[in-house]
Coordinates of all heavy atoms in Angstrom, one line a residue:
A404 N 4.5 -9.8 1.0 CA 4.0 -9.9 -0.4 C 5.2 -10.0 -1.3 O 5.1 -10.7 -2.3 CB 3.1 -8.6 -0.7
E405 N 6.3 -9.3 -1.0 CA 7.5 -9.4 -1.8 C 8.0 -10.8 -1.9 O 8.5 -11.3 -2.9 CB 8.6 -8.4 -1.3 CG 9.9 -8.4 -2.1 CD 10.8 -7.4 -1.6 OE1 10.9 -7.3 -0.4 OE2 11.5 -6.7 -2.4
N406 N 8.0 -11.5 -0.8 CA 8.5 -12.9 -0.8 C 7.6 -13.8 -1.7 O 8.1 -14.7 -2.4 CB 8.4 -13.5 0.7 CG 9.7 -13.2 1.4 OD1 10.8 -13.7 1.2 ND2 9.6 -12.2 2.3
I407 N 6.3 -13.5 -1.7 CA 5.4 -14.3 -2.6 C 5.7 -14.0 -4.0 O 5.8 -14.8 -4.9 CB 3.9 -13.9 -2.3 CG1 3.6 -14.4 -0.9 CG2 3.0 -14.6 -3.3 CD1 2.2 -13.9 -0.4
A408 N 5.9 -12.7 -4.3 CA 6.3 -12.2 -5.7 C 7.6 -12.8 -6.3 O 7.6 -13.3 -7.3 CB 6.3 -10.7 -5.8
T409 N 8.6 -12.8 -5.3 CA 9.9 -13.4 -5.9 C 9.8 -14.9 -5.9 O 10.4 -15.5 -6.9 CB 11.1 -13.0 -4.9 OG1 10.7 -13.4 -3.5 CG2 11.3 -11.5 -4.9
W410 N 9.0 -15.5 -5.1 CA 8.8 -17.0 -5.2 C 8.1 -17.3 -6.5 O 8.4 -18.3 -7.2 CB 7.9 -17.5 -4.0 CG 7.5 -18.9 -4.3 CD1 8.3 -20.0 -3.9 CD2 6.3 -19.5 -4.8 NE1 7.7 -21.2 -4.3 CE2 6.4 -20.9 -4.8 CE3 5.2 -18.8 -5.3 CZ2 5.4 -21.7 -5.3 CZ3 4.2 -19.6 -5.8 CH2 4.2 -21.0 -5.8
S411 N 7.2 -16.5 -6.9 CA 6.5 -16.7 -8.2 C 7.4 -16.4 -9.4 O 7.0 -16.7 -10.5 CB 5.2 -15.8 -8.3 OG 5.6 -14.4 -8.5
G412 N 8.5 -15.9 -9.2 CA 9.4 -15.5 -10.3 C 9.2 -14.3 -11.0 O 9.7 -14.0 -12.1
A413 N 8.4 -13.3 -10.3 CA 8.1 -12.1 -10.9 C 9.4 -11.3 -11.1 O 9.6 -10.6 -12.1 CB 7.1 -11.3 -10.1
W414 N 10.3 -11.3 -10.1 CA 11.6 -10.8 -10.2 C 12.5 -11.6 -9.2 O 11.9 -12.3 -8.4 CB 11.7 -9.3 -10.0 CG 11.5 -8.9 -8.6 CD1 12.5 -8.7 -7.6 CD2 10.3 -8.6 -7.8 NE1 12.0 -8.4 -6.4 CE2 10.6 -8.3 -6.5 CE3 8.9 -8.5 -8.2 CZ2 9.7 -7.9 -5.6 CZ3 8.0 -8.2 -7.3 CH2 8.3 -7.9 -6.0
L415 N 13.8 -11.4 -9.3 CA 14.7 -12.1 -8.5 C 15.8 -11.1 -8.0 O 16.3 -10.3 -8.8 CB 15.3 -13.3 -9.1 CG 14.4 -14.5 -9.4 CD1 15.2 -15.5 -10.2 CD2 13.8 -15.1 -8.1
Y416 N 16.2 -11.2 -6.7 CA 17.4 -10.6 -6.3 C 18.6 -11.4 -6.7 O 18.4 -12.6 -6.9 CB 17.4 -10.3 -4.8 CG 16.4 -9.3 -4.3 CD1 15.1 -9.6 -3.8 CD2 16.5 -8.0 -4.5 CE1 14.2 -8.7 -3.4 CE2 15.6 -7.0 -4.2 CZ 14.4 -7.4 -3.6 OH 13.5 -6.4 -3.2
P417 N 19.8 -10.8 -6.8 CA 21.0 -11.6 -7.2 C 21.2 -12.8 -6.3 O 21.6 -13.8 -6.8 CB 22.1 -10.5 -7.0 CG 21.4 -9.2 -7.3 CD 20.1 -9.4 -6.6
S418 N 21.0 -12.7 -5.0 CA 21.2 -13.9 -4.1 C 20.2 -15.0 -4.4 O 20.3 -16.1 -3.8 CB 21.2 -13.4 -2.7 OG 19.9 -12.9 -2.3
Q419 N 19.1 -14.6 -5.1 CA 18.1 -15.7 -5.3 C 18.1 -16.4 -6.7 O 17.4 -17.3 -7.0 CB 16.7 -15.0 -5.2 CG 16.3 -14.5 -3.8 CD 15.0 -13.8 -3.9 OE1 14.7 -13.0 -4.8 NE2 14.2 -14.0 -2.8
V420 N 19.1 -16.0 -7.5 CA 19.2 -16.5 -8.9 C 19.5 -18.1 -8.8 O 18.9 -18.8 -9.6 CB 20.3 -15.8 -9.7 CG1 20.6 -16.5 -11.0 CG2 19.9 -14.3 -9.8
D421 N 20.3 -18.5 -7.9 CA 20.7 -19.9 -7.8 C 19.8 -20.7 -7.0 O 19.9 -21.9 -6.8 CB 22.2 -20.0 -7.3 CG 23.2 -19.4 -8.2 OD1 23.0 -19.5 -9.4 OD2 24.2 -18.9 -7.7
G422 N 18.7 -20.0 -6.5 CA 17.8 -20.8 -5.6 C 17.1 -19.8 -4.7 O 17.7 -19.0 -4.1
W423 N 15.7 -20.0 -4.7 CA 14.9 -19.0 -3.9 C 15.0 -19.2 -2.5 O 15.2 -20.3 -2.0 CB 13.4 -19.1 -4.4 CG 12.5 -18.1 -3.7 CD1 12.3 -16.8 -4.1 CD2 11.9 -18.3 -2.4 NE1 11.5 -16.2 -3.2 CE2 11.2 -17.0 -2.2 CE3 11.8 -19.3 -1.5 CZ2 10.5 -16.8 -1.0 CZ3 11.0 -19.2 -0.4 CH2 10.4 -17.9 -0.1
H424 N 15.0 -18.1 -1.8 CA 15.0 -18.1 -0.4 C 14.3 -16.8 0.0 O 14.1 -15.8 -0.7 CB 16.4 -18.1 0.3 CG 17.4 -17.1 -0.2 ND1 17.3 -15.7 0.3 CD2 18.3 -17.0 -1.2 CE1 18.2 -15.0 -0.4 NE2 18.8 -15.8 -1.2
L425 N 14.0 -16.6 1.3 CA 13.4 -15.4 1.9 C 14.2 -14.2 1.5 O 15.4 -14.2 1.6 CB 13.1 -15.5 3.4 CG 12.1 -16.5 3.9 CD1 12.1 -16.6 5.4 CD2 10.7 -16.1 3.3
V426 N 13.4 -13.2 1.2 CA 14.1 -11.9 1.0 C 14.6 -11.4 2.3 O 14.0 -11.5 3.4 CB 13.0 -10.8 0.5 CG1 13.6 -9.4 0.4 CG2 12.4 -11.3 -0.8
P427 N 15.9 -11.0 2.4 CA 16.5 -10.5 3.6 C 15.7 -9.5 4.3 O 15.0 -8.6 3.8 CB 17.9 -9.9 3.2 CG 18.1 -10.5 1.9 CD 16.8 -10.8 1.2
L428 N 15.7 -9.6 5.7 CA 14.9 -8.7 6.5 C 15.3 -7.2 6.4 O 14.6 -6.3 6.8 CB 15.0 -9.1 8.0 CG 14.0 -10.3 8.4 CD1 14.4 -10.7 9.8 CD2 12.6 -9.8 8.2
D429 N 16.6 -7.0 6.0 CA 17.1 -5.6 5.9 C 16.3 -4.8 4.8 O 16.3 -3.6 4.7 CB 18.5 -5.5 5.6 CG 19.0 -6.1 4.3 OD1 18.1 -6.6 3.5 OD2 20.2 -6.3 4.2
K430 N 15.5 -5.6 3.9 CA 14.7 -4.9 2.9 C 13.6 -4.1 3.7 O 12.9 -3.3 3.0 CB 14.2 -5.9 1.9 CG 15.2 -6.5 1.0 CD 15.8 -5.4 0.1 CE 16.8 -6.0 -0.9 NZ 17.4 -4.9 -1.7
L431 N 13.2 -4.5 4.9 CA 12.2 -3.9 5.6 C 12.5 -2.4 5.8 O 11.6 -1.5 5.7 CB 12.1 -4.5 7.0 CG 11.1 -5.7 7.2 CD1 11.2 -6.3 8.5 CD2 9.7 -5.3 6.8
V432 N 13.8 -2.0 5.9 CA 14.2 -0.6 6.0 C 13.8 0.1 4.7 O 13.2 1.3 4.8 CB 15.7 -0.5 6.3 CG1 16.1 1.0 6.4 CG2 16.1 -1.1 7.6
A433 N 14.0 -0.5 3.7 CA 13.7 0.1 2.3 C 12.3 0.3 2.2 O 11.8 1.4 1.8 CB 14.3 -0.7 1.2
W434 N 11.5 -0.7 2.5 CA 10.0 -0.6 2.5 C 9.5 0.4 3.5 O 8.6 1.2 3.2 CB 9.4 -1.9 2.7 CG 9.5 -2.9 1.5 CD1 10.2 -4.0 1.4 CD2 9.0 -2.6 0.2 NE1 10.1 -4.6 0.1 CE2 9.4 -3.7 -0.6 CE3 8.2 -1.6 -0.4 CZ2 9.0 -3.8 -2.0 CZ3 7.9 -1.7 -1.8 CH2 8.3 -2.8 -2.5
F435 N 10.1 0.5 4.7 CA 9.7 1.5 5.7 C 9.9 2.9 5.1 O 9.0 3.7 5.2 CB 10.5 1.3 6.9 CG 10.2 2.3 8.0 CD1 9.2 1.9 8.9 CD2 10.8 3.5 8.1 CE1 8.9 2.8 10.0 CE2 10.6 4.3 9.1 CZ 9.5 4.0 10.1
L436 N 11.1 3.1 4.4 CA 11.3 4.4 3.9 C 10.4 4.7 2.8 O 9.9 5.9 2.5 CB 12.8 4.5 3.5 CG 13.8 4.5 4.6 CD1 15.2 4.5 4.1 CD2 13.6 5.8 5.6
L437 N 10.0 3.7 1.9 CA 9.1 3.9 0.8 C 7.8 4.3 1.3 O 7.0 5.0 0.6 CB 9.0 2.6 0.0 CG 8.2 2.6 -1.2 CD1 8.9 3.5 -2.3 CD2 8.0 1.3 -1.8
M438 N 7.4 3.9 2.5 CA 6.1 4.2 3.1 C 6.0 5.7 3.2 O 4.9 6.4 3.1 CB 5.8 3.6 4.5 CG 5.6 2.1 4.4 SD 4.3 1.6 3.3 CE 3.0 2.6 4.0
I439 N 7.1 6.5 3.5 CA 7.1 7.9 3.6 C 6.7 8.5 2.2 O 5.9 9.4 2.2 CB 8.5 8.4 4.1 CG1 8.9 7.7 5.4 CG2 8.3 9.9 4.4 CD1 7.9 7.7 6.5
I440 N 7.3 8.0 1.2 CA 7.0 8.5 -0.1 C 5.6 8.2 -0.5 O 4.8 9.1 -1.0 CB 7.9 7.8 -1.2 CG1 9.4 8.0 -0.9 CG2 7.5 8.2 -2.6 CD1 10.3 7.3 -1.9
S441 N 5.0 7.1 0.0 CA 3.6 6.7 -0.2 C 2.7 7.7 0.5 O 1.7 8.2 0.0 CB 3.4 5.3 0.3 OG 4.2 4.4 -0.4
V442 N 3.1 8.0 1.8 CA 2.1 8.9 2.6 C 2.2 10.3 1.9 O 1.1 10.9 1.9 CB 2.7 8.9 4.0 CG1 2.0 10.0 4.8 CG2 2.4 7.6 4.7
V443 N 3.3 10.8 1.5 CA 3.3 12.1 0.9 C 2.5 12.2 -0.4 O 1.8 13.1 -0.6 CB 4.8 12.5 0.6 CG1 4.9 13.8 -0.2 CG2 5.5 12.7 1.9
L444 N 2.6 11.1 -1.2 CA 1.7 11.1 -2.4 C 0.3 11.0 -2.1 O -0.5 11.6 -2.7 CB 2.2 9.9 -3.3 CG 3.6 9.9 -3.9 CD1 3.8 8.6 -4.7 CD2 3.7 11.1 -4.8
V445 N -0.1 10.2 -1.0 CA -1.5 10.1 -0.7 C -2.0 11.4 -0.1 O -3.2 11.9 -0.3 CB -1.7 9.0 0.3 CG1 -3.1 9.0 0.8 CG2 -1.4 7.6 -0.4
A446 N -1.1 12.1 0.6 CA -1.5 13.4 1.2 C -1.8 14.5 0.1 O -2.5 15.4 0.4 CB -0.4 14.0 2.2
W447 N -1.3 14.2 -1.1 CA -1.7 15.0 -2.2 C -3.2 14.9 -2.6 O -3.8 15.8 -3.0 CB -0.8 14.7 -3.5 CG -1.2 15.4 -4.7 CD1 -1.2 16.7 -4.9 CD2 -1.5 14.8 -5.9 NE1 -1.5 17.0 -6.2 CE2 -1.8 15.8 -6.9 CE3 -1.7 13.5 -6.4 CZ2 -2.2 15.5 -8.2 CZ3 -2.1 13.2 -7.6 CH2 -2.3 14.2 -8.6
V448 N -3.7 13.7 -2.3 CA -5.2 13.5 -2.7 C -6.0 13.8 -1.5 O -7.1 14.5 -1.5 CB -5.4 12.1 -3.1 CG1 -6.8 11.8 -3.3 CG2 -4.7 11.8 -4.4

Side-chain angles (χ1 to χ4, degrees):
E405 183 179 36
N406 277 284
I407 296 173
T409 54
W410 173 83
S411 72
W414 75 88
L415 292 173
Y416 290 104
S418 62
Q419 296 175 317
V420 172
D421 295 327
W423 182 86
H424 57 78
L425 287 176
V426 174
L428 279 172
D429 61 10
K430 292 294 181 184
L431 273 174
V432 177
W434 286 115
F435 180 90
L436 292 174
L437 185 68
M438 291 307 305
I439 309 306
I440 301 174
S441 303
V442 168
V443 170
L444 291 177
V445 172
W447 174 58
V448 174

